[in-house]
Amino acid sequence: MSAQDEHKKAVAEAALEYVEDDMVIGVGTGSTVNHFIDGLARMKTRIDGAVSSSEATSQRLEAAGIRVLDLNSAGPLPLYVDGADECDAHRRLIKGGGGALTREKIVAAASERFVCIVDEAKCVPVLGDFGVPVEVVPMARSLVGRALVGLGGMPEWREGVTTDNGGLIIDLRGLRITDPPALEREINQIAGVISCGLFAARPADVVLVAGPGGVRKLG
Ligand code: 5RP
C-alpha cells in the first residue's frame, strides 16, 4: 500500500469515531470512502443503514452487507462522511473527481454533520488547481462551456463519462478561486448546469486530515 493510501485508510478509520448506534449514515464516493465502508462493515449490526451518493458506493455498501436506503424515506441524516479533491482552511471543498458531485451535494445538504476525510495532499491555500467539476444536461454542454469561458476559466469536457444521473462532466480549469461561494453561485445559475463541485455554501463541518504525523482535525 502506498503512503497516500495508508493515509486514506488512517483518516477513514478516524471517521468511524463519529458513527453512533442506530444511525443512518450518508456515505460519499471514492477511494478514501471505500476504506470508510470497509470499517463500517465491521460495525454494520450497530447502524440502521446508509444513504449512498453513487451507484458505485451503493454496490460496495451492499456487498459489505450494509442496508442502502433511499434519501426520500431516510429523511434528514445525522452524519455524512465523504472525501474531497481539494480542501482549504475554511473547510470549503472541491469535489467530483469521481463524477458523483450532484448526489454528494444532495446528501451533504440533507445531513446535520458533514465529516470530510482527506490526506494531506488535498489541503491547499487557495482552491482551483484541481479544476471545478461541473455536471451538465447533455444538450447544454456547449452553452455551459461558453458561459464558463465567460467566467474566466478553461472548460474541458470529460469525454466518455456519463454520470449516474445521465449528465456530462465539464472540468473548469485555470482558476484561482478567491471567493468560492460567489463562484459556486455563478456556476449554479448557468442554464443547463445540474450542480458544481464547489462545496462552499455548505462546507464540511469537520475535516479530518491524515499525514505522516497522524490524523489532525480542522473545525
Ligand atoms: C467523488 C469525490 C471524491 O470524494 C473525491 O474525488 C476524492 O476521491 P478519493 O478519495 O478517491 O481521492 O468527490 O466525486
Side-chain angles (χ1 to χ4, degrees):
M1 205 185 270
S2 70
Q4 190 181 29
D5 207 40
E6 294 279 3
H7 295 157
K8 289 183 177 192
K9 189 170 179 197
V11 78
E13 289 288 322
L16 293 171
E17 297 286 320
Y18 291 82
V19 176
E20 292 173 18
D21 287 357
D22 306 320
M23 272 183 170
V24 173
I25 298 150
V27 182
T29 299
S31 56
T32 314
V33 164
N34 285 346
H35 289 297
F36 177 73
I37 296 171
D38 293 346
L40 214 50
R42 299 197 302 270
M43 54 203 295
K44 63 183 170 203
T45 54
R46 285 179 39 201
I47 61 169
D48 272 2
V51 168
S52 166
S53 64
S54 65
E55 298 301 326
T57 287
S58 297
Q59 278 173 21
R60 200 170 176 108
L61 287 164
E62 276 161 359
I66 297 166
R67 191 161 68 116
V68 177
L69 299 160
D70 185 276
L71 181 63
N72 291 309
S73 46
L77 306 173
L79 176 67
Y80 177 50
V81 177
D82 198 359
D85 300 298
E86 278 188 358
C87 171
D88 74 7
H90 304 285
R91 304 185 304 278
R92 300 175 300 199
L93 313 168
I94 289 180
K95 293 185 44 54
L101 57 147
T102 299
R103 295 191 190 188
E104 291 173 339
K105 202 166 255 195
I106 292 167
V107 183
S111 301
E112 280 158 37
R113 194 180 215 186
F114 176 7
V115 175
C116 182
I117 50 177
V118 293
D119 54 279
E120 198 75 61
K122 310 280 185 64
C123 294
V124 296
V126 179
L127 298 174
D129 276 353
F130 184 83
V132 179
V134 180
E135 183 170 358
V136 301
V137 174
M139 71 172 285
R141 177 171 57 84
S142 300
L143 173 75
V144 172
R146 288 192 294 275
L148 294 174
V149 170
L151 294 180
M154 292 177 292
E156 198 178 293
W157 175 26
R158 219 185 275 180
E159 262 190 276
V161 172
T162 302
T163 71
D164 290 344
N165 314 306
L168 303 179
I169 300 284
I170 296 175
D171 291 297
L172 178 59
R173 306 205 184 278
L175 290 177
R176 190 173 176 275
I177 306 169
T178 51
D179 189 346
L183 183 64
E184 184 178 2
R185 271 195 308 275
E186 283 183 285
I187 296 174
N188 285 341
Q189 277 166 14
I190 301 168
V193 166
I194 299 171
S195 77
C196 79
L198 266 175
F199 284 55
R202 200 275 186 252
D205 300 301
V206 173
V207 179
L208 300 176
V209 184
V215 177
R216 67 187 167 90
K217 179 178 158 186
L218 296 179

